[in-house]
Amino acid sequence: MALVFDALLALAMLWLAWQGVHAQTLFQAVVSFMLFGLLIALAWVRLDATDIALAEAALGSGVTGALLFAALGQLPPEPIRARRRTRWHRRLLALAWGLVLLAPIALLLYGVLQLEGRGLGAEVNASLSQANIGSPVTAVLLNFRAIDTLLELVVMLSAVVVVWSLGATAPSPLPWLPAPSLPALTRLLFPVFLLTAGYLLWRGEHGPGGAFPAGAVLAAGFVLAILSGARAPAPDGHTGWRLLICLGPLAFAMVAGGVLLAGYVYFEYPPRVAGLLMIGIEIAAGISIGFMLTALFFAAERDHSSQV
Amino acid sequence: MNLFIDGASLMLLVLGLLFFLSGTIGLLRFPDVFTRLHALSKTDTLALGFISASLALQSGSLLLTLKLLLITLLVMVAGATSSSLIAGAAIARGVRPWQR
């Protein structure tokens, strides 16, 4: 029974991936992509990776979907692509490329099947007591490979900086609303968004959750508020926005470097305060991720508001 | 007692699936956006309620039941709002409701 479900899931994912690339309109492609993200989240749940499922559902499907829709709003309306008949030699070429690409996939599959054991789970669990935190995933993210996570935050920060350098962002535009129900819903749901983000942060210490899903939920709440007419100052050039966006990477880097002063190695948390430090980093990172994603959404809405 | 709970749970699940099915058929077969919304939003709300009730009977825990209730309520509110937004946007774009 479970096998039937997994097979259906895999087939649906392949179909949606195909639709995402070959749909007749961009709108259909975006919707297919968002559904694809949701099914990927489901696949991660089936693989017992709840953390990644949470992050995928919130980031891959939710926030990315909002960004894609905002980008779609800036494009001129497109005509429906007519299905052209492809020439036989083009089909042959496509087939040849497909076969060429199949070879590395087969090689990868062979390599995966050759792997001994089931990943690094046993090693992580064995050294979990040294990490001073309950959740193995958070231990990996904030302790065993903390510098990778810091660099991920810096990459996100650079993305925001690059987007800002492309031009000034307007303050949030007053959206056109066909019905008064959206602001009412937002008033009702915004506290729930904040509560969920806080819950995910708190839960990251001992279970699935953490800064990335929490930040994505926070950003989703902000985006919903903007879409229902909440006013906020333009992010770029605003000191408050800059501080909030830098908070996570800054706190992370300060802890990493600060322990040097106390006589420890770079990124070596002092055992007595390790848990506290990691929770602090997690909270700062979650807030920053939320505001960074919102800033990206602001930038995507920018030109749209000036055109209308 | 267990048999009774399992039977009730199964019945609710089947009912929910039937409503999902009828909503999907409506989405595919109805003539315009308004009738499709009508089919989808009503049946989905009902079907989700049935399925949540069925799962709540199986969960055997008050906390899980409350979480299922919360999910159902959130989806109901979000579904109603998004349906009204889609319908409002369609009217504003000049889509005339279908008439026989």
Side-chain angles (χ1 to χ4, degrees):
Chain A
M1 198 62 197
L3 199 67
V4 174
F5 180 79
D6 289 345
L8 279 177
L9 187 62
L11 282 178
M13 275 161 64
L14 283 177
W15 167 246
L16 282 171
W18 174 265
Q19 281 293 304
V21 181
H22 288 278
Q24 281 193 315
T25 60
L26 282 179
F27 180 80
Q28 286 173 2
V30 170
V31 172
S32 300
F33 178 79
M34 290 173 72
L35 282 178
F36 180 68
L38 282 181
L39 288 194
I40 289 215
L42 209 55
W44 284 121
V45 171
R46 293 289 304 154
L47 292 169
D48 275 334
T50 330
D51 288 85
I52 312 179
L54 270 174
E56 175 62 38
L59 281 166
S61 188
V63 177
T64 316
L67 284 175
L68 285 174
F69 272 131
L72 208 57
Q74 295 189 32
L75 296 175
E78 46 154 2
I80 293 176
R81 261 186 277 165
R83 285 189 187 277
R84 277 177 307 175
R85 288 196 55 157
T86 36
R87 297 261 182 83
W88 64 270
H89 64 265
R90 292 191 68 115
R91 288 189 183 199
L92 211 64
L93 197 68
L95 193 69
W97 267 113
L99 287 178
V100 168
L101 289 178
L102 221 55
I105 292 176
L107 217 61
L108 266 179
L109 202 64
Y110 177 74
V112 168
L113 290 176
Q114 293 292 308
L115 279 180
E116 282 177 28
R118 301 189 57 195
L120 293 171
E123 282 85 345
V124 170
N125 280 327
S127 38
L128 195 57
S129 57
Q130 296 172 27
N132 291 304
I133 200 139
S135 156
V137 175
T138 310
V140 171
L141 283 180
L142 289 185
N143 201 333
F144 300 152
R145 44 146 274 188
I147 192 161
D148 281 9
T149 310
L150 172 61
L151 290 180
E152 281 167 14
L153 286 177
V154 174
V155 166
M156 280 188 74
L157 187 64
S158 331
V160 176
V161 171
V162 166
V163 165
W164 280 356
S165 70
L166 289 176
T169 315
S172 57
L174 267 185
W176 169 82
L177 287 174
S181 48
L182 189 60
L185 177 79
T186 307
R187 269 185 213 107
L188 189 71
L189 284 191
F190 194 71
V192 183
F193 273 99
L194 290 186
L195 186 72
T196 310
Y199 172 73
L200 284 171
L201 270 182
W202 166 75
R203 202 175 148 69
E205 195 226 333
H206 53 271
F212 280 90
V217 169
L218 197 63
F222 287 146
V223 166
L224 188 67
I226 292 168
L227 286 179
S228 23
R231 304 292 281 166
D236 53 338
H238 191 274
T239 317
W241 272 92
R242 287 183 180 177
L243 282 178
L244 285 166
I245 279 172
C246 291
L247 188 67
L250 215 59
F252 216 150
M254 270 166 62
V255 168
V259 291
L260 288 174
L261 297 179
Y264 292 91
V265 189
Y266 186 58
F267 258 120
E268 182 191 5
Y269 304 126
R272 202 181 301 165
V273 287
L276 209 62
L277 283 178
M278 276 186 273
I279 290 171
I281 291 174
E282 186 114 276
I283 291 171
I287 292 173
S288 277
I289 291 168
F291 278 94
M292 284 195 256
L293 291 170
T294 314
L296 289 175
F297 182 78
F298 256 96
E301 284 279 281
R302 168 183 56 208
D303 293 343
H304 186 44
S305 64
S306 61
Q307 276 169 13
V308 174
Chain B
M1 195 59 199
N2 249 340
L3 195 71
F4 176 72
I5 289 181
D6 280 354
S9 172
L10 190 68
M11 248 171 59
L12 288 169
L13 198 65
V14 169
L15 262 175
L17 286 179
L18 280 177
F19 273 107
F20 266 134
L21 187 69
S22 69
T24 311
I25 293 174
L27 173 73
L28 293 174
R29 301 289 298 161
F30 277 0
D32 74 343
V33 61
F34 303 106
T35 46
R36 283 177 187 167
L37 273 178
H38 168 86
L40 206 59
S41 52
K42 282 194 168 63
T43 54
D44 268 13
T45 310
L46 209 56
L48 184 74
F50 277 128
I51 286 181
S52 301
S54 159
L55 293 182
L57 281 181
Q58 289 295 315
S59 71
S61 112
L62 185 64
L63 189 64
L64 269 181
T65 307
L66 285 177
K67 279 182 188 169
L68 282 167
L69 186 69
L70 182 69
I71 292 173
T72 315
L73 286 177
L74 282 176
V75 174
M76 274 168 75
V77 174
T81 312
S82 54
S83 297
S84 95
L85 281 176
I86 293 173
I91 285 182
R93 279 194 179 187
V95 180
R96 299 270 114 226
W98 173 78
Q99 275 161 346
R100 193 189 294 277

